[in-house]
Amino acid sequence: IVIGLGTVWILDGLEVTVVGNIAPRLSEPGSGLPISSGQVTGLAAALYVAGACLGALFWGRLTDTWGRKKLFMITLAVYLAATALTALSFETWWFFLFRFLTGFGIGGEYAAINSAIDELIPAQYRGRVDLMINGSFWLGAVGGSLLSIVALNTAVLPANLGWRLTFALGAVLALVILLVRRHVPESPRWLLIHGRDDE
């Protein structure tokens, strides 16, 4: 449960750090995307946060209706698709749209995962587990910084490819997490509330 749920915060930390680090490279001629550094760190970052806020509200309501497990599979799939499509951006508006949708998926993760923690983890361990899961954001931030050293080095990768690979890696990691998550159970409390006592 801790691995299946906590690794998404690693992805969030990776996303936030990578976007900050790639802003200067994206704004350079030859990056493959006509965008300024300010648009990446300003508008794109604002769209990501707006997507996360709206995603938390939208998916949070559905979490109560459809269940925790179904929602954290769907929201991770949204994140995975949006991040992969960000890597394929060749127009500025495309990049902005998929940054918003990436945030929209992550916002749903916030709602579904924290509900699952509250309902799956026994009270005496809940605080520690919550801290471990939500604190894994910083592992992603460190990973994003280390990844940027390699991906943004034009001696290693071309300027128009390195930043794309950082987003593509986020999508690959999300796919691995999706496979791990299949084994995370549904919340017993949610099942009881919805009359599914046998399950």
Side-chain angles (χ1 to χ4, degrees):
I1 291 169
V2 171
I3 292 169
L5 300 181
T7 42
V8 166
W9 263 248
I10 294 173
L11 290 178
D12 192 21
L14 182 79
E15 282 282 332
V16 170
T17 305
V18 160
V19 170
N21 290 344
I22 68 168
R25 177 56 37 84
L26 267 175
S27 62
E28 291 175 4
S31 72
L33 196 63
I35 195 169
S36 71
S37 183
Q39 286 178 310
V40 178
T41 57
L43 185 55
L47 287 168
Y48 179 82
V49 172
C53 293
L54 291 172
L57 293 170
F58 177 79
W59 298 113
R61 189 156 181 84
L62 291 178
T63 296
D64 290 333
T65 306
W66 293 352
R68 311 316 185 204
K69 182 170 183 169
K70 186 179 286 186
L71 255 294
F72 58 59
M73 296 297 277
I74 292 170
T75 55
L76 184 57
V78 169
Y79 166 87
L80 190 159
T83 299
L85 289 166
T86 300
L88 300 175
S89 299
F90 289 98
E91 294 290 339
T92 306
W93 67 268
W94 181 274
F95 183 81
F96 290 151
L97 172 65
F98 288 109
R99 293 310 299 150
F100 173 82
L101 291 175
T102 302
F104 194 69
I106 284 288
E109 290 284 301
Y110 295 159
I113 289 174
N114 284 302
S115 297
I117 292 168
D118 289 344
E119 296 171 1
L120 286 170
I121 307 299
Q124 66 266 36
Y125 303 110
R126 195 172 298 140
R128 277 175 280 172
V129 170
D130 200 7
L131 184 62
M132 283 191 311
I133 289 174
N134 287 288
S136 65
F137 175 93
W138 300 107
L139 293 174
V142 170
S145 296
L146 295 174
L147 177 63
S148 297
I149 292 170
V150 176
L152 300 180
N153 184 347
T154 52
V156 178
L157 293 166
N160 66 344
L161 183 62
W163 68 269
R164 294 181 191 282
L165 289 179
T166 59
F167 288 113
L169 181 62
V172 170
L173 290 174
L175 183 59
V176 171
I177 296 165
L178 205 56
L179 297 174
V180 172
R181 277 210 184 155
R182 293 179 308 157
H183 305 292
V184 176
E186 180 55 89
S187 158
R189 185 177 298 168
W190 185 88
L191 290 170
L192 287 168
I193 289 169
H194 290 80
R196 292 161 62 174
D197 300 26
D198 290 345
E199 288 177 69

